[in-house]
Amino acid sequence: MMRYSSTEEKLLEFMAEIEVIDAHEHLPPERVRVSFKVDVMTLFSHYTRTDFISAGMSPQDYERMINPEEPLEERWKIFKPFFKFIRYGSYARPALIAVKEFYGFDDITDDNYMAISERMMAENTQGIYKRILWDKCHIRAVLTQAGRTDYDLDYLIPLMPMDTYASVRSAEEVEKRAENLKVQVKDLDDYLQLARKGIERWKSEGAVGLKTRAQPNDPPDRKAAEEAFKKILNGGKGANLKALYDYLVNEIMEICADLDMVVAVHAGMWGDFRVLDPKHMIPVFPRHPRTRFDLYHMGMPWVRDTGVIGKNNQNVWLNLCWCHIISPEMTCSALDEWIDLVPVNKIIAFGGDYSRPVEKVYGHLLMAKEDIARVLARRIDRGLMGFDEATFIIKRWFWDNPKELYKLDLPD
C-alpha cells in the first residue's frame, strides 16, 4: 500500500471524483475487445513486453505467453520465472492494480491465476468500457488511435495516422488511395487534393487530429517533391522519397490547420529512441504557426529539452501520456521543473496509451494522480502555492487543457 503525506491525501481525495479526458489510448472499439479471448496474460500484453524481454524472456516465448489459443498452464510456466523480476517496475503495476480492483485478488500466484482468468472472461462483455472508463475512472472522453474511426461509443474519439497520406512509396499505393476516394491522381497537386479529401472524410467521421512522430524534417522543397512523385508514378526508380515525405508532412500539417485539427507528435521512448528526439521538431513548430501540436510522452528521456520546447512555442502543448508508467520518478522530477518553465495551460496530465488491456487504464490513471499529488503537495508544503491553486492546476491538466486543445464538445 502506497503511503501518502497528508497534503497528498487531500489532493488525491479531490482527484478521486474529478472528470477526466484521457488524452491518448490505442483502444479498439468495444466490440473488438469483447470478441477476444482474455485471461490473466492479457494484462501483460503491450508495454510489459519490453520488461519481460529485457529480463531474459525470448520474443518467441513472449508471443506464446500472451497467445490465448495456447494452454494457459503452459503459458503460466513461461510467465512465472520472469514475473518476479518485472513486477516491481512501473509497467507492471497497473496490471496488479487491475487484478485487485476489478477481479478481487491481491496478487497473481500459482493458486489464483486460473480464477483470475475465469473472472476476466466472465467480465469481458458489452459494457466493459463503460464499467472501467466511465464508471470507475470518470473518463468522459478518450482520444484513441487504432487506425480507424468506426467507434461504437461516442466518447471514443479517434486520431488517425498522418503517414496514411504522407508516406508514398509506389504507384500502387497512390492508385489504391485514389480508388478509395474516387479521385484521379496525375500529379502532385492531385495527390494533395486526395490527401485533403481523405482527412476531411476522417474529420466528418469524428477524428480530431493526426499523429506523426518526431524525426528530422527538411524544409519543404516543392521541386524535389514533384520530381520524386513523377518518378514514383513511373515505377519509382531514383525517387527521392525523403524529399517527398518531408514535403507532404508539411503540407498535411497546413491542411490540419485549415481543418482545425491537431497534430499529435510521438517523441522519445520506443526502439532506437535517438531517431525520435523531440529536438527534431524545433524547426518544424514555428514553420506552422497556425497548427496546434500535442507533443507526447514528455519526449522521454529528453524531458528538459521538451519543457523548453513547450515554453518557447505557443502552438505546442505537452502531453504526459505513457509517462507515469515509464517512470514515476522521472515524470515527477520533470513535472516539477515544468511548472517553473511552462504555463500551466500547456500541460496535459494523462493518457493511458493501452490497446487491448483496458483494465490497466485505471491503474495508470491512479499512478498519474499520485504523481501529480506528489508534485503539487511539495509546492503547497513549501508555501509556493495554496490548495485552491493546486486544484485549479489539476482541473486544467486533466480536463480544460485537452478539451481546449482538441476543441472537444463536452459540458464543463
Side-chain angles (χ1 to χ4, degrees):
M1 175 70 71
M2 180 82 78
R3 288 192 288 271
Y4 309 116
S5 72
S6 60
T7 309
E8 288 169 349
E9 284 185 351
K10 192 176 177 183
L11 289 169
L12 287 166
E13 286 173 7
F14 171 79
M15 284 188 273
E17 300 300 324
I18 63 169
E19 295 189 328
V20 171
I21 295 172
D22 182 338
H24 179 44
E25 298 288 352
H26 294 279
L27 296 173
E30 184 185 64
R31 64 182 181 276
V32 175
R33 158 62 197 242
V34 301
S35 71
F36 284 117
K37 293 180 182 178
V38 296
D39 54 48
V40 68
M41 299 305 164
T42 305
L43 298 176
F44 293 90
S45 60
H46 217 141
Y47 293 119
T48 45
R49 178 184 189 276
T50 303
D51 287 355
F52 278 113
I53 292 173
S54 179
M57 183 183 290
S58 73
Q60 295 78 13
D61 278 348
Y62 177 81
E63 295 305 319
R64 284 186 60 215
M65 186 188 85
I66 64 168
N67 181 359
E69 302 303 324
E70 296 274 347
L72 183 54
E73 298 90 339
E74 296 302 314
R75 293 187 284 134
W76 176 255
K77 292 175 185 176
I78 298 171
F79 171 89
K80 183 181 176 181
F82 293 97
F83 181 46
K84 62 179 176 288
F85 300 133
I86 71 114
R87 64 175 297 140
Y88 308 105
S90 46
Y91 275 174
R93 190 176 170 216
L96 292 165
I97 292 171
V99 164
K100 183 176 178 65
E101 291 293 327
F102 299 115
Y103 304 117
F105 293 91
D106 290 331
D107 201 353
I108 304 170
T109 68
D110 288 301
D111 296 328
N112 67 22
Y113 76 90
M114 281 287 194
I116 295 169
S117 298
E118 289 166 3
R119 292 193 187 181
M120 287 183 66
M121 198 61 202
E123 289 292 319
N124 192 39
T125 59
Q126 186 176 352
I128 189 171
Y129 279 13
K130 180 181 184 299
R131 294 191 295 273
I132 293 173
L133 300 173
W134 193 274
D135 297 340
K136 187 73 172 176
C137 297
H138 305 298
I139 290 171
R140 300 297 178 252
V142 180
L143 301 175
T144 188
Q145 300 167 15
R148 59 198 302 168
T149 58
D150 58 333
Y151 283 91
D152 38 17
L153 297 166
D154 60 8
Y155 58 89
L156 298 177
I157 302 169
L159 277 73
M160 297 298 285
M162 184 181 289
D163 276 6
T164 298
Y165 295 111
S167 178
V168 180
R169 295 183 173 276
S170 70
E172 290 74 21
E173 281 185 340
V174 175
E175 290 166 7
K176 185 176 181 180
R177 293 168 193 172
E179 182 180 350
N180 182 49
L181 291 168
K182 296 181 172 55
V183 298
Q184 287 190 331
V185 175
K186 296 180 179 178
D187 56 26
L188 184 58
D189 283 331
D190 288 344
Y191 185 79
L192 289 172
Q193 289 303 310
L194 176 152
R196 181 179 290 269
K197 184 174 181 179
I199 297 166
E200 287 172 345
R201 175 187 286 185
W202 284 340
K203 182 173 181 178
S204 73
E205 294 167 347
V208 293
L210 304 187
K211 184 182 180 183
T212 186
R213 58 195 175 276
Q215 59 192 335
N217 185 282
D218 295 328
D221 184 334
R222 169 74 187 203
K223 182 178 180 181
E226 282 183 323
E227 291 175 358
F229 194 77
K230 287 178 184 176
K231 289 180 178 179
I232 286 172
L233 293 185
N234 291 310
K237 186 176 181 180
N240 185 340
L241 296 179
K242 186 177 187 308
L244 178 59
Y245 182 79
D246 288 348
Y247 178 81
L248 289 173
V249 164
N250 280 275
E251 288 296 307
I252 291 171
M253 287 175 177
E254 288 301 301
I255 291 171
C256 285
D258 293 342
L259 299 179
D260 210 13
M261 298 173 77
V262 174
V263 174
V265 183
H266 174 100
M269 294 288 291
W270 204 253
D272 185 351
F273 57 88
R274 295 172 299 174
V275 302
L276 296 165
D277 190 327
K279 294 189 289 295
H280 293 319
M281 300 301 292
I282 290 173
V284 177
F285 294 140
R287 200 182 295 159
H288 303 281
R290 298 186 307 123
T291 306
R292 304 190 306 282
F293 294 91
D294 189 3
L295 186 56
Y296 280 0
H297 315 314
M298 282 187 150
M300 286 185 169
W302 296 285
V303 292
R304 281 182 168 169
D305 296 333
T306 303
V308 175
I309 289 169
K311 184 181 186 70
N312 288 347
N313 291 276
Q314 187 183 69
N315 59 336
V316 178
W317 280 251
L318 304 180
N319 194 326
L320 276 64
C321 55
W322 193 15
C323 297
H324 306 284
I325 61 166
I326 295 174
S327 170
E329 290 294 329
M330 193 190 308
T331 299
C332 289
S333 174
L335 189 56
D336 205 17
E337 294 188 13
W338 281 12
I339 296 173
D340 295 332
L341 276 169
V342 184
V344 296
N345 64 326
K346 301 288 292 298
I347 295 171
I348 294 172
F350 173 70
D353 213 344
Y354 291 119
S355 54
R356 194 177 303 179
V358 64
E359 296 94 332
K360 294 167 76 171
V361 174
Y362 172 76
H364 192 166
L365 178 58
L366 174 62
M367 292 169 69
K369 291 176 178 179
E370 288 174 345
D371 289 349
I372 288 165
R374 179 176 163 190
V375 170
L376 296 180
R378 278 200 300 250
R379 294 200 165 229
I380 293 171
D381 291 343
R382 290 164 59 201
L384 290 172
M385 67 174 58
F387 185 81
D388 289 344
E389 292 171 308
T391 59
F392 165 78
I393 291 171
I394 287 167
K395 187 174 183 296
R396 290 293 325 180
W397 288 354
F398 278 104
W399 184 267
D400 295 333
N401 294 351
K403 179 185 175 185
E404 292 172 7
L405 170 59
Y406 285 92
K407 300 191 176 179
L408 302 178
D409 184 16
L410 298 169
D412 287 317

